[in-house]
Amino acid sequence: MPENSKVLPLPVTDQARRRKLLFIIIGAIVALSVAAVLVLSFSPLLAARNISVTGTKLVSEKQLTEKLQTLQGVPLPRISEGRVSDLIGDQPAIKELVVRAQMPDTLVVEVVEQVPVAILVEGKSRYLVSSEGDKLKKLGKKDKTKLPTVKLSDEAKSPESFALLTEVLATVDEKVLAQSSAATVTKAGFVELQLPKKRVLVWGDGSDAALKNKVAAIFLKDLKENNDAPKSIDISNPESPVTY
């Protein structure tokens, strides 16, 4: 190459300029995003100053709120459902917790509770129980709940029989449960419901629940309007119910 020759730089193309500008923009966005996360995670401007607990019927709203007081002053983006669950602890009546932030300073904890299906009677104590047979709440003397009572008879003493009973009761429509004074399980494993006017509804097992509820509704309507309604109705096979 001659001594007086020069190396000329290649001209920068429009495509290269656009690529360089794109990299700069992406880098700026990432940096701003990281900065925003850090600000939101540690800024006292978004600290939880109010705690709202909703959806409670079986558990005490006041007690849950007290358990969450340590979250006062914690930035809302740093409060997870796991953290809230750990503070609340084991609560059989609670099925799920939904945690959300209500800007600028309120933590909302929505409680989704288990649905009670019966009242378990143990001596002088009464408990609301779930479809899994868990005790959800101890009832006071003045508490009135329209659910069938369950006593641990010889047939329902075993955990398996009791679990079968509560599992089947979970398939019964709430309107039927509300008119049932008691529920038992027979030696054959059939669930029976005690209805008004000393009538008995033989429900059977948990199968065909939708059809059984329809048949039960017809029987209950007839029972309400007719004092001469059958003493018992067996809907264990809802396609061919038997009265006697």
Side-chain angles (χ1 to χ4, degrees):
M1 178 182 296
E3 294 182 358
N4 59 351
S5 63
K6 295 182 180 180
V7 177
L8 298 176
L10 294 174
V12 179
T13 63
D14 291 340
Q15 183 178 2
R17 290 193 188 95
R18 286 196 294 269
R19 188 183 296 112
K20 182 177 180 181
L21 180 60
L22 180 61
F23 287 154
I24 292 173
I25 292 173
I26 292 174
I29 292 174
V30 171
L32 289 173
S33 299
V34 171
V37 169
L38 292 175
V39 169
L40 292 175
S41 298
F42 296 96
S43 173
L45 297 176
L46 295 178
R49 291 181 173 82
N50 301 301
I51 297 176
S52 173
V53 177
T54 64
T56 57
K57 291 183 179 179
L58 304 178
V59 294
S60 168
E61 176 186 337
K62 180 180 179 181
Q63 290 180 1
L64 295 187
T65 304
E66 289 175 351
K67 288 177 178 289
L68 299 175
Q69 287 307 301
T70 56
L71 297 177
Q72 290 274 5
V74 178
L76 291 172
R78 295 175 60 191
I79 301 176
S80 65
E81 289 186 0
R83 189 170 183 178
V84 171
S85 296
D86 290 341
L87 289 173
I88 288 179
D90 184 32
Q91 299 276 351
I94 296 179
K95 181 179 181 180
E96 183 183 1
L97 293 172
V98 179
V99 179
R100 56 186 175 86
Q102 184 174 300
M103 297 302 180
D105 58 4
T106 300
L107 175 69
V108 178
V109 179
E110 181 182 349
V111 178
V112 181
E113 295 182 329
Q114 300 280 3
V115 178
V117 297
I119 301 172
L120 173 64
V121 178
E122 288 185 341
K124 294 183 179 181
S125 299
R126 300 184 305 147
Y127 303 89
L128 291 177
V129 292
S130 68
S131 59
E132 289 79 22
D134 296 326
K135 295 177 182 177
L136 305 179
K137 178 183 179 181
K138 184 176 182 179
L139 294 173
K141 293 182 179 180
K142 296 182 179 180
D143 288 334
K144 294 182 180 180
T145 303
K146 291 185 176 181
L147 287 173
T149 59
V150 173
K151 294 183 179 179
L152 295 183
S153 62
D154 292 338
E155 288 77 19
K157 274 185 178 178
S158 71
E160 294 79 14
S161 296
F162 182 60
L164 169 66
L165 177 59
T166 55
E167 182 180 338
V168 172
L169 289 178
T171 68
V172 182
D173 187 271
E174 60 182 8
K175 293 181 180 179
V176 179
L177 287 179
Q179 297 188 60
S180 305
S181 59
T184 57
V185 57
T186 66
K187 292 182 179 179
F190 276 18
V191 170
E192 293 183 353
L193 299 174
Q194 304 299 317
L195 299 178
K197 301 180 182 179
K198 297 182 179 181
R199 266 50 175 188
V200 176
L201 180 65
V202 182
W203 190 269
D205 57 22
S207 62
D208 299 319
L211 183 55
K212 287 179 180 178
N213 280 304
K214 291 181 180 179
V215 176
I218 296 172
F219 176 71
L220 287 170
K221 182 179 179 181
D222 181 59
L223 178 60
K224 185 177 180 180
E225 300 173 351
N226 180 15
N227 289 328
D228 295 326
K231 297 291 184 182
S232 300
I233 178 170
D234 186 339
I235 61 171
S236 56
N237 179 5
E239 293 183 355
S240 301
V242 178
T243 60
Y244 49 92

